[in-house]
Amino acid sequence: MTTPTASAYDLITEEVVRMSLRQVTTEMVTVMKRTSGNPVLTDGNDFSVQLFSSDGDIIESPPLTPYHTGTASMCLRHLLRTVPEDDIREGDMFLTNDPYISTGHANDFQLATPVFVEGRRVAWCFTQAHMIDIGGVNAGGWAVDATDCFGEALRIPVVKLIDAGVWNTAITEIITENVRMPALLRGDLRSMVSTNQVGARRLEAVVARYGIDAFLRHTRAICDRSEAMARERIRLLPDGIYQASDWQEHNGHVNDLFQVKIQLEVEGDELSISCVGEPQTDGLINASPPLVAGHCFSALLMVLFSDIPVNEGLLRPMTFLAVPGTTVCATKPAPLSSGHLDGAFKVGTLTVSTITKVLAQAADEATRDLALAPWAGSWGAYPFAGLDDAGNFTVFMDMMASGVGGGATRRLDGLDVSGHMSGVGLNTPDIESNEQSFPVLYLWNALAQDSGGPGKHRGGVGIDSAFILWGGRHAERHDQRCRLADPRSRRDGRLPGRDQQVRADHRVRAPGVVRAGPGPRARGCRSRGRVRGEVRGRAADHVRRVARPDARRGWVRRPA
């Protein structure tokens, strides 16, 4: 790293360039949301956009789905390593969804577009977006019945979707012939292409304004500045090795426990995380290295680096390692379709718990105040699939699982319906959009009373929702992840809550596939954030200003 040194004028120009890059990605987000017909993207925000340097360094990544930072970076690295330089031309767009390469699970499509100015490649525009269905044994992508990657979904290696401006229709036809909702997927592909096209045009204008050499100099300086800020923050932490462990429950086939361990080491201005899981299973809970790195980074970003611009410089002081052939570093042909919600998600919550232990031992109070409890104990995903009244296949993705509560801090209650740390930009989709797009009718969608739990500072409140499916014939497919209560973790307060899907008879569902007709279907109880401290530690002023108003709103039964 070169320590940034520049005149005041250069510093101002550098910041203007940085915000110009942010504006490019902001417009890319707008294009995606306005051109897609998929509520998972338009309302749920389950996508991300990034800008990369010509050699694959992140230069701008807005806070939509932070764990995509790891998957996107590995995609560009793989592309540059495997595609000959003279085969990357102006007007090209490269597509993949291979979870072993970079995406983490096959529902996520990645599209990379080289940006050329004056015949020279200066950057890349990148989009990653969730497709509602991508084939496989179970509709919706969470392949509970699969025992290997071949039954999970169609996997696409890095291919040219667009070659020098010409759309490769053969690739599109291969994809759409292997999915259940081809028209929706075709539209989402066009949205991704439009998003990258607009991003490339806007980025070309930024480069033209400053000139290629000045643009490259400023983007390097932006990354160096983030690196310097990150290293300064890490130096505030006490050196040492810190460990934590937790359990995954049920791999989709066997109701068993699978332990996950992490080790976080702080040495000077560098930080490393090593992950170990059980031997990879034949169920969908395995995670790939890009996912694990992304979830570790998300946790550190939210707790330790939330005020630092996200780019390659922020990643340089950190190293993420995992043991191959395990549930947190699976190799082919292990199934991976829920790895981002299971193995990798568990690593993320463990990272939060571990870095909070480190912060608790920091010398200065301002650093200790960065400590943040985990935001949720699980992230459930519940696809519903079947035929509508017209006989068309439909897949409804219940994304209300994004409506979880945030973890508490040393001084504040957790945020209500904050979303997950690894997907802070995700939204709970608009109910009317879901009802317009899918054969579903919501009965209620409200804050779940007392879901934040008691404590000196309660966790954020989650969502309680219920809906029915109407018309046609439906097959419910879902993956429900639980959080095992580890009594050794209760020192700082209660554990995070878990997502639950409850049947009409009020029994909690186990992972699997259920086939049934229309009628009352499911009630989702979303996770809460973890609380901190004992109830008796609440100050009278806090009860007056916060707890009693919460009770009046119905979020808690009574002030603690």
Side-chain angles (χ1 to χ4, degrees):
M1 180 193 73
T2 302
T3 302
T5 57
S7 65
Y9 173 79
D10 287 336
L11 290 175
I12 292 172
T13 305
E14 177 188 314
E15 182 65 7
V16 171
V17 171
R18 187 177 75 84
M19 295 310 296
S20 297
L21 299 178
R22 173 60 59 87
Q23 183 56 39
V24 171
T25 57
T26 298
E27 189 165 352
M28 291 173 70
V29 169
T30 301
V31 172
M32 174 65 77
K33 291 175 69 67
R34 291 187 176 181
T35 58
S36 173
N38 178 356
V40 170
L41 305 180
T42 58
D43 290 57
N45 286 354
D46 194 357
F47 69 94
S48 64
V49 299
Q50 286 90 19
L51 301 178
F52 287 82
S53 69
S54 60
D55 55 358
D57 288 344
I58 301 171
I59 57 176
E60 174 59 28
S61 181
L64 277 174
T65 310
Y67 84 81
H68 285 178
T69 303
T71 58
S73 181
M74 289 198 179
C75 179
L76 255 294
R77 300 292 185 194
H78 175 86
L79 191 158
L80 291 170
R81 189 170 58 248
T82 57
V83 178
E85 187 68 26
D86 58 1
D87 201 25
I88 302 174
R89 299 188 295 270
E90 189 168 2
D92 288 348
M93 291 196 185
F94 296 86
L95 177 73
T96 184
N97 79 328
D98 192 328
Y100 293 100
I101 293 175
S102 57
T103 63
H105 77 139
N107 286 71
D108 279 1
F109 276 29
Q110 295 175 323
L111 190 68
T113 302
V115 179
F116 286 80
V117 175
E118 298 175 3
R120 178 180 174 184
R121 192 178 78 235
V122 296
W124 292 82
C125 288
F126 190 93
T127 301
Q128 179 166 333
H130 182 97
M131 306 293 113
I132 283 185
D133 182 77
I134 185 59
V137 65
N138 295 127
W142 276 262
V144 180
D145 290 336
T147 58
D148 55 38
C149 64
F150 306 109
E152 283 192 308
L154 175 69
R155 287 184 294 117
I156 308 160
V158 173
V159 295
K160 277 191 184 182
L161 179 65
I162 296 181
D163 188 352
V166 179
W167 195 300
N168 189 335
T169 56
I171 291 175
T172 308
E173 291 305 312
I174 290 172
I175 296 172
T176 54
E177 283 297 316
N178 283 277
V179 303
R180 296 172 176 85
M181 302 179 72
L184 186 61
L185 189 144
R186 186 179 285 110
D188 286 343
L189 273 179
R190 290 171 177 167
S191 293
M192 295 178 72
V193 168
S194 298
T195 298
N196 280 14
Q197 285 177 331
V198 169
R201 287 200 300 267
R202 299 296 182 263
L203 192 54
E204 289 167 7
V206 173
V207 176
R209 178 179 179 183
Y210 297 98
I212 294 176
D213 293 337
F215 171 79
L216 297 178
R217 183 174 67 251
H218 284 305
T219 54
R220 285 194 295 268
I222 289 167
C223 293
D224 289 344
R225 198 166 304 282
S226 286
E227 180 182 0
M229 295 170 68
R231 291 185 182 278
E232 182 180 2
R233 186 69 49 79
I234 295 172
R235 280 193 291 268
L236 297 174
L237 305 177
D239 284 359
I241 296 175
Y242 308 83
Q243 297 175 331
S245 64
D246 204 341
W247 302 85
Q248 298 172 262
E249 301 174 61
H250 211 302
N251 74 344
H253 306 303
V254 180
N255 188 14
D256 206 346
L257 298 177
F258 304 86
Q259 191 174 31
V260 178
K261 301 177 183 179
I262 74 164
Q263 176 175 292
L264 187 151
E265 182 174 359
V266 180
E267 184 176 1
D269 61 358
E270 295 189 344
L271 184 154
S272 65
I273 294 180
S274 302
C275 309
V276 180
E278 300 279 356
Q280 64 189 39
T281 81
D282 64 351
L284 71 173
I285 65 173
N286 304 293
S288 63
L291 282 178
V292 170
H295 279 262
C296 287
F297 172 75
S298 298
L300 295 172
L301 173 66
M302 298 304 298
V303 178
L304 199 58
F305 306 118
S306 61
D307 57 338
I308 300 177
V310 179
N311 53 51
E312 195 70 27
L314 182 55
L315 292 169
R316 289 172 189 160
M318 294 180 277
T319 304
F320 306 112
L321 304 171
V323 177
T326 66
T327 53
V328 294
C329 189
T331 56
K332 200 181 296 184
L336 302 167
S337 57
S338 191
H340 58 313
L341 308 187
D342 281 280
F345 191 90
K346 193 64 67 179
V347 167
T349 57
L350 284 172
T351 301
V352 176
S353 299
T354 309
I355 195 65
T356 296
K357 294 178 185 177
V358 180
L359 291 166
Q361 301 179 36
D364 67 295
E365 188 169 2
T367 303
R368 293 196 296 272
D369 279 347
L370 295 174
L372 181 65
W375 283 24
S378 65
W379 188 350
Y382 310 116
F384 295 81
L387 302 179
D388 61 19
D389 282 340
N392 300 314
F393 203 93
T394 181
V395 179
F396 164 57
M397 182 70 195
D398 174 26
M399 285 196 64
M400 293 303 172
S402 299
V404 303
T409 70
R410 295 179 71 220
R411 303 183 186 277
L412 297 171
D413 291 345
L415 294 171
D416 299 316
V417 196
S418 60
H420 293 276
M421 274 191 170
S422 53
V424 291
L426 296 179
N427 288 335
T428 54
D430 183 76
I431 287 175
E432 285 75 16
S433 293
N434 274 348
E435 291 178 336
Q436 181 179 11
S437 302
F438 305 105
V440 59
L441 176 66
Y442 281 84
L443 304 179
W444 68 78
N445 190 50
L447 294 178
Q449 191 178 65
D450 286 338
S451 59
K456 182 177 181 180
H457 297 295
R458 66 167 175 82
V461 174
I463 282 180
D464 179 9
S465 63
F467 57 83
I468 61 173
L469 302 176
W470 55 266
R473 293 176 288 114
H474 300 279
E476 174 192 343
R477 291 170 168 87
H478 62 85
D479 166 35
Q480 181 241 338
R481 299 269 67 83
C482 303
R483 171 62 155 84
L484 183 69
D486 181 352
R488 295 170 298 175
S489 301
R490 292 184 178 271
R491 294 192 304 270
D492 297 329
R494 293 194 177 187
L495 293 163
R498 69 182 188 182
D499 282 354
Q500 295 181 126
Q501 190 182 47
V502 185
R503 306 189 312 190
D505 59 5
H506 305 292
R507 294 174 60 188
V508 177
R509 292 195 187 279
V513 177
V514 179
R515 292 179 174 81
R521 302 297 296 138
R523 175 181 179 180
C525 302
R526 309 309 171 188
S527 304
R528 59 173 167 84
R530 183 171 172 176
V531 302
R532 292 187 63 85
E534 297 297 330
V535 176
R536 61 179 177 270
R538 276 183 178 253
D541 181 60
H542 182 84
V543 172
R544 176 180 59 82
R545 290 185 300 102
V546 179
R548 286 175 183 162
D550 282 356
R552 287 196 297 270
R553 297 184 186 103
W555 299 349
V556 298
R557 295 180 192 274
R558 59 181 177 82

